[in-house]
């Protein structure tokens, strides 16, 4: 390893704050010119201006002792008997017409005459001719240097072509694979790359080639950037970190130049790792742009492709890239020889969530009543960043009440705040409060009476965010497949709140709007994607496909007839109405339990799992 890589670099964040533009030299120059100009004006103001005819009269009256001729300008010293005029200097200008009588007149009255050349000295003319250009070029040179300092330095106009990648010669030793919990498969792939960087001979003697690039794919917050830093820390090699958006500027060609600069610097410090975060900002499929910035983006991508393909086989430089949009990346970027490996980082399962929570609570004072496994079970769908935020929100809540440790109540508050938002400030009237209690009791009772549903963990009618209440179920384990019975019961649970309002209060309200939206969407997925419809059978009709990582619906082109579309709508309607009828029947048969649950909510506002069991056990 080069000696420069063995020196410790305590500056883990090499990008210092950019200095502000220094206006002092410009202000100083302006003030200097202002003073010089005023001095000249003051000198001229000190001289008395005399008309040429009056000047000749003064000579005839013997009130002029001496004059100085400089071109057409005449300056002189007055004499005389009056104290007001004696000793005063004056200035006069000769007319364009030559006056032959002036010199005899001056000689007759014994006026001392001094003549000076009207031309300025050569050195002064040179200074006056060159000085403005010196000032102009000096100003641009100073501005260029100042802007380079603000933009990270480097070559090219204003340093635009210099790579903006941050170089970490020595990564913080505390950021290792032990700090990255729940990504065992990804760490296994990266450990092989680390071993190649540290022990390349082991692989070269077998003819194995180092992977040129590794693409980390996954939802936001799953630890892609953290994993890249941990990889660099474990390998102990220089780490170049840059965001894909930092390549793009308004000037065409800047991005490609920055790519060349970054790869050249990485080769100088090899073995090294290059990490490009959010590579989809420059790696999108080519040929979709309309010019301008799109052309610049494509040139940048072309340069990345050329640099990755241009590595020598023994170049120990590996490119790590992260994205949550692998579907938009250019195929040339994804082929073997560029990004040889694709590592998918999924949302953590329960075991991984336990490990992540243990990492984030390791250095915090946690009370004995906090059950990490319980909160790992309640955080299905949370990413690593969400779990870190959960612990941090709990710590903030504990600090707000001056606690010495973070207890169960703090974690409960943090969990509800992340899921539903902050507690609302509005005060509900008794009518609305009663309706919300029956609505949530309807959801809860339907879930309890459904044999395949997840067990209840909490019911609340405290408004949070945009939600006026919540019924939470706690799955016993993470689900990867959903049976048809489970989904049909899920439809009934979603309709339980509306059914309870209709049963107990005679009419429905707008509070079930989100329930109906989720219910209709789930029913349409059952009919069109999962073949759970007797009328249409096991056929897939693509309408909306969910993004592989972001969970967003993406519209798909319609490739079925209008008649089929009507059949789909009819099947969805049948499925929802059948679930509504089953829900109404179930609630009518257990009306007494529904009333007990609603009364318990009106009294306590929040019911935990144990409270629900006690209420349901009453006869």
């Amino acid at each position: 390893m080069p000696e420069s890589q063995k020196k410790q670099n305590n500056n883990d964040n090499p990008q210092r704050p950019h200095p502000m533009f220094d206006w002092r030299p410009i202000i100083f120059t302006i003030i200097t010119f202002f003073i010089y100009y005023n001095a000249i004006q003051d000198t001229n103001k000190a001289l008395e201006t005399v008309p040429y005819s009056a000047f000749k009269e003064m000579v005839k009256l013997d009130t002029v002792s001496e004059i100085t001729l400089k071109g057409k300008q005449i300056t002189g010293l007055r004499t005389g008997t009056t104290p007001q005029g004696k000793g005063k200097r004056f200035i006069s200008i000769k007319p364009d017409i030559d006056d032959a009588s002036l010199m005899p007149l001056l000689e007759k009255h014994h006026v001392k005459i001094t003549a000076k050349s009207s031309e300025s000295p050569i050195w002064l003319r040179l200074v006056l001719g060159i000085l403005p250009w010196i000032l102009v070029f000096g100003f641009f040179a100073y501005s260029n240097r100042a802007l380079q300092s603000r933009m990270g330095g480097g070559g090219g106009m204003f340093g635009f072509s210099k790579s903006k990648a941050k170089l970490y010669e020595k990564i913080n030793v505390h950021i290792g694979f032990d700090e990255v919990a729940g990504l065992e498969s990804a760490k296994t792939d990266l450990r092989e790359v680390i071993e190649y960087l540290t022990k390349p001979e082991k692989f070269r003697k077998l003819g194995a080639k180092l992977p040129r690039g590794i693409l980390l794919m996954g939802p936001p917050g799953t630890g892609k950037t953290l994993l890249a830093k941990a990889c660099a820390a474990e390998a102990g090699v220089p780490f170049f970190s840059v965001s894909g958006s930092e390549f793009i500027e308004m000037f065409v060609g800047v991005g490609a130049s920055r790519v060349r600069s970054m790869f050249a610097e990485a080769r100088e410090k090899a073995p090294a790792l290059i990490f490009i975060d959010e590579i989809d900002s420059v790696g999108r499929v080519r040929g979709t742009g309309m010019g301008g910035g799109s052309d610049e983006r494509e040139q940048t991508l072309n340069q990345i492709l050329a640099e990755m393909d241009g590595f020598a086989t023994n170049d120990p430089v590996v490119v790590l890239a992260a994205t949550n949009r692998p579907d938009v990346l250019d195929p040339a970027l994804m082929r073997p020889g560029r990004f040889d490996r694709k590592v998918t980082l999924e949302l953590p399962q329960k075991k991984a969530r336990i490990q992540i929570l243990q990492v984030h609570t390791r250095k915090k004072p946690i009370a004995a009543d906090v059950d990490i496994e319980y909160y790992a079970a309640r955080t299905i769908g949370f990413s690593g960043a969400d779990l870190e935020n959960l612990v941090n929100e709990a710590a903030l809540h504990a600090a707000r009440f001056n606690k010495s440790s973070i207890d169960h109540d703090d974690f409960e508050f943090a969990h509800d705040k992340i899921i539903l938002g902050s507690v609302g400030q509005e005060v509900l009237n008794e009518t609305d409060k009663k309706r919300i209690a029956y609505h949530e009791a309807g959801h809860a009772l339907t879930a309890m009476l459904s044999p395949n549903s997840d067990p209840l963990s909490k019911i609340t009618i405290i408004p949070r965010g945009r939600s006026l209440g919540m019924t939470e179920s706690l799955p016993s384990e993470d689900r990867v497949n959903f049976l048809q019975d489970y989904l049909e019961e899920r439809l009934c649970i979603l309709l339980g709140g509306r059914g309870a309002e209709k049963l107990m209060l005679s009419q429905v309200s707008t509070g079930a709007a989100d329930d109906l939206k989720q219910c209709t969407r789930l029913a349409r997925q059952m009919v069109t994607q999962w073949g759970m419809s007797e009328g249409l059978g096991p056929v897939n009709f693509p309408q909306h496909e969910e993004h592989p990582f972001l969970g967003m619906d993406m519209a798909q082109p319609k490739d079925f007839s209008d008649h089929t579309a009507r059949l789909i709508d009819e099947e969805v309607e049948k499925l929802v109405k059948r679930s509504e009828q089953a829900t109404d029947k179930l609630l009518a048969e257990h009306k007494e339990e529904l009333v007990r649950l609603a009364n318990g909510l009106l009294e306590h506002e929040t019911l935990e799992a144990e409270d629900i069991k006690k209420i349901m056990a009453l006869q």
Side-chain angles (χ1 to χ4, degrees):
M1 185 177 296
E3 189 66 28
S4 62
Q5 296 177 22
K6 297 179 182 179
K7 296 179 182 179
Q8 180 160 352
N9 183 1
N10 294 324
N11 184 10
D12 283 344
N13 187 7
Q15 292 291 334
R16 298 177 180 174
H18 297 310
M20 297 298 294
F21 188 83
D22 191 356
W23 291 95
R24 288 176 294 180
I26 300 174
I27 295 173
F28 175 78
T29 304
I30 294 173
I31 293 174
T32 302
F33 274 105
F34 181 76
I35 294 174
Y36 176 71
Y37 176 78
N38 283 342
I40 293 175
Q41 294 297 318
D42 290 341
T43 301
N44 291 333
K45 288 178 181 178
L47 300 177
E48 179 186 0
T49 302
V50 176
Y52 183 69
S53 59
F55 161 67
K56 293 182 70 174
E57 290 297 325
M58 290 165 56
V59 174
K60 293 176 181 178
L61 295 173
D62 293 325
T63 57
V64 178
S65 62
E66 63 181 50
I67 65 167
T68 300
L69 299 176
K70 185 177 181 181
K72 295 182 178 182
Q73 181 177 291
I74 302 173
T75 57
L77 182 66
R78 295 181 63 171
T79 61
T81 57
T82 61
Q84 293 82 6
K86 187 176 182 179
K88 280 191 175 182
R89 298 191 66 84
F90 64 89
I91 183 171
S92 183
I93 304 298
K94 289 173 61 177
D96 291 337
I97 301 173
D98 291 336
D99 186 358
S101 63
L102 177 61
M103 293 304 296
L105 180 65
L106 294 172
E107 291 175 356
K108 179 181 179 181
H109 292 274
H110 307 289
V111 176
K112 183 180 178 181
I113 303 171
T114 305
K116 289 185 178 181
S117 175
S118 60
E119 294 184 357
S120 301
I122 296 177
W123 67 267
L124 181 59
R125 282 182 284 166
L126 288 175
V127 169
L128 293 177
I130 297 174
L131 183 60
W133 294 104
I134 293 176
L135 292 175
V136 170
F137 284 111
F139 172 74
F140 276 105
Y142 176 78
S143 301
N144 187 23
R145 184 175 179 182
L147 286 175
Q148 284 184 24
S149 176
R150 295 182 67 193
M151 301 179 66
M157 184 62 174
F158 299 139
F160 284 163
S161 61
K162 174 72 174 177
S163 169
K164 288 191 173 183
K166 301 179 184 69
L167 170 61
Y168 299 87
E169 291 279 0
K170 185 176 180 63
I171 301 296
N172 189 342
V173 294
H174 299 296
I175 303 177
F177 280 157
D178 292 339
E179 296 294 315
V180 184
L183 298 173
E184 299 304 324
S185 176
K187 287 190 286 187
T188 301
D189 285 334
L190 292 176
R191 280 194 180 98
E192 190 173 284
V193 176
I194 293 171
E195 192 173 3
Y196 189 99
L197 290 173
T198 54
K199 302 175 182 177
E201 298 79 9
K202 174 182 176 181
F203 296 87
R204 287 174 183 168
K205 68 181 182 180
L206 297 175
K209 295 180 181 179
L210 177 69
R212 302 289 179 85
I214 299 175
L215 184 63
L216 305 177
M217 307 180 297
T222 50
K224 298 184 291 295
T225 304
L226 180 63
L227 190 62
K229 288 184 178 180
C231 183
E234 293 282 341
V237 298
F239 178 68
F240 294 83
S241 176
V242 65
S243 173
S245 61
E246 292 185 54
F247 291 115
I248 306 301
E249 291 286 353
M250 63 181 293
F251 303 108
V252 176
V254 171
S257 178
R258 288 178 177 173
V259 170
R260 287 192 295 270
S261 172
M262 179 181 67
F263 276 86
E265 191 175 354
R267 290 192 186 101
E268 290 177 1
K269 294 184 176 292
L273 281 171
I274 296 175
F275 176 60
I276 306 175
D277 200 6
E278 305 296 343
I279 195 173
D280 49 272
S281 60
V282 291
R284 289 175 177 263
V285 177
R286 290 168 291 180
T288 58
M290 299 299 291
S294 298
D295 289 341
E296 164 67 356
R297 185 177 289 107
E298 290 188 7
Q299 287 190 24
T300 305
L301 173 59
N302 290 337
Q303 189 62 44
I304 293 175
L305 297 176
E307 293 289 343
M308 293 187 70
D309 232 5
F311 281 164
T313 54
N314 58 352
D315 259 349
V317 177
V318 178
V319 180
L320 297 177
T323 181
N324 51 34
R325 293 297 308 274
D327 55 308
V328 302
L329 294 181
D330 194 279
L333 197 64
M334 304 285 282
R335 73 162 174 82
R338 301 248 170 74
F339 283 104
D340 304 85
R341 292 188 180 181
K342 289 84 176 175
V343 179
T344 302
L345 282 65
E346 299 286 355
L347 292 172
Q349 300 295 311
K350 182 178 179 180
K351 181 179 178 182
R353 292 197 297 273
I354 293 174
Q355 295 173 356
I356 294 171
L357 286 172
Q358 288 173 344
V359 167
H360 292 306
T361 57
R362 190 161 52 197
K363 298 180 181 180
K364 293 181 174 63
I366 304 298
D369 62 347
V370 176
D371 185 357
I372 295 297
E373 293 189 13
Y374 170 74
Y375 287 103
R378 291 187 64 188
T379 50
I380 293 176
F382 275 42
S383 66
D386 293 329
L387 294 171
E388 181 182 11
N389 187 39
L390 172 70
V391 177
N392 186 61
E393 286 288 349
L396 292 174
H397 186 261
R400 195 177 304 154
F401 293 94
N402 300 318
K403 297 181 181 179
S404 59
S405 62
I406 308 171
D407 56 26
H408 173 81
D409 292 338
D410 299 319
F411 275 92
E412 280 293 317
F413 174 85
H415 177 269
D416 292 346
K417 182 177 181 180
I418 293 172
I419 296 292
L420 299 173
S422 301
V423 177
Q425 300 298 321
E426 67 275 6
V427 178
L428 299 176
N429 58 49
E430 291 301 320
T431 303
D432 286 339
K433 194 173 182 180
K434 182 178 180 180
R435 181 173 291 277
I436 295 169
Y438 276 114
H439 184 100
E440 297 303 329
H443 285 310
L445 184 60
T446 310
M448 294 177 66
L449 298 175
S450 301
N452 298 301
S453 68
D454 300 319
L456 283 176
S457 63
K458 186 176 184 179
I459 316 172
T460 181
I461 58 171
I462 298 176
R464 285 180 174 271
R466 299 177 63 183
S467 175
L468 298 177
M470 179 193 70
T471 300
E472 181 185 30
S473 297
L474 181 64
S476 56
E477 58 184 10
D478 294 335
R479 295 180 182 271
V480 293
N481 282 318
F482 299 95
L483 300 178
Q484 184 170 352
D485 289 344
Y486 175 85
L487 295 174
E488 289 179 351
E489 290 179 2
R490 181 65 187 161
L491 293 176
C492 294
I493 295 170
L494 289 170
L495 294 170
R498 185 173 185 272
E501 289 185 44
K502 184 168 56 176
L503 175 65
M504 302 304 301
L505 303 173
S506 302
Q507 57 182 338
V508 297
S509 69
T510 59
D514 190 62
D515 297 332
L516 293 177
K517 180 180 177 180
Q518 294 185 52
C519 180
T520 306
R521 180 183 178 187
L522 178 58
R524 187 169 292 275
Q525 287 179 311
M526 293 172 65
V527 171
T528 60
Q529 297 181 29
W530 303 325
M532 297 179 181
S533 166
E534 296 180 0
L536 293 173
V539 185
N540 182 274
F541 300 101
Q543 293 181 323
H544 296 276
E545 285 193 5
E546 193 173 88
H547 187 276
F549 295 130
L550 301 182
M552 300 185 303
D553 282 343
M554 298 185 296
Q556 296 292 316
K558 179 181 175 183
D559 57 357
F560 47 85
S561 66
D562 293 338
H563 174 69
T564 303
R566 286 195 299 272
L567 290 178
I568 291 173
D569 292 339
E570 290 173 1
E571 288 298 314
V572 171
E573 185 179 356
K574 286 180 184 178
L575 185 56
V576 173
K577 285 186 175 180
R578 187 165 66 243
S579 300
E580 182 186 33
Q581 292 172 359
T583 302
D584 292 344
K585 181 180 178 183
L586 187 67
L587 292 174
E589 293 174 353
H590 297 84
K591 186 175 181 180
E592 183 181 347
E593 291 93 329
L594 178 65
V595 173
R596 289 207 302 269
L597 270 178
N599 289 337
L601 283 171
L602 289 171
E603 181 180 355
H604 302 288
E605 292 189 333
T606 299
L607 297 177
E608 302 287 347
E610 293 299 323
D611 302 322
I612 297 171
K613 289 179 182 178
K614 291 178 181 178
I615 291 175
M616 296 302 293
L618 296 175
Q619 298 297 334

